[in-house]
Amino acid sequence: QLQLVESGGGLVQPGGSLRLSCAASGFTFDAYAIGWFRQAPGKEREGVSCISSRGGRTTTADSVKGRFTISRNNAKNTVYLQMNSLNPENTGVYYCAAASPGFYCNWRGYNYWGQGTQVPVSS
């Protein structure tokens, strides 16, 4: 019954912004670190940004640092990824995932995954 559902993806032009949401259910949300991961076509899944269970620590990939911001609202069992100044290199399927215990941002350490939301960045 543990479930993660991403939403907010869709076609966006270069320079645009999107706010992705990850809604969780079926587990103790505030006990889990949550990560956002991107899988571009033909490439390996990569960590984009991750946040600790209580939101006290975050990590963000160098490629998107300063443009993407992760946050969470544990009362709503939701994690967000605000993406600004998007470019075509940010295209891919964005997944949220949960890991417990610990805090890290390597996809191999995450056990529970959503189905992803597509983010094509194109003019």
Side-chain angles (χ1 to χ4, degrees):
Q1 63 178 354
L2 193 155
Q3 188 175 22
L4 298 166
V5 180
E6 302 92 339
S7 62
L11 179 65
V12 61
Q13 294 186 345
S17 298
L18 285 175
R19 184 177 175 88
L20 305 183
S21 298
C22 174
S25 61
F27 65 103
T28 306
F29 181 71
D30 62 4
Y32 285 75
I34 303 294
W36 284 100
F37 301 86
R38 177 179 66 91
Q39 188 155 19
K43 297 184 179 180
E44 293 186 353
R45 193 167 299 183
E46 297 181 335
V48 177
S49 190
C50 298
I51 188 166
S52 61
S53 61
R54 297 180 180 180
R57 291 187 292 167
T58 63
T59 186
T60 305
D62 289 342
S63 61
V64 300
K65 193 169 296 182
R67 297 188 293 118
F68 289 14
T69 303
I70 191 170
S71 62
R72 67 190 295 164
N73 186 333
N74 285 352
K76 295 183 179 294
N77 286 0
T78 304
V79 171
Y80 306 96
L81 183 67
Q82 179 67 47
M83 305 187 295
N84 298 326
S85 301
L86 287 160
N87 61 63
E89 287 70 42
N90 301 135
T91 291
V93 179
Y94 284 74
Y95 299 89
C96 67
S100 181
F103 175 66
Y104 39 80
C105 207
N106 187 316
W107 69 268
R108 296 173 179 84
Y110 282 73
N111 301 107
Y112 307 105
W113 293 82
Q115 293 300 305
T117 185
Q118 180 69 48
V119 179
V121 184
S122 176
S123 59

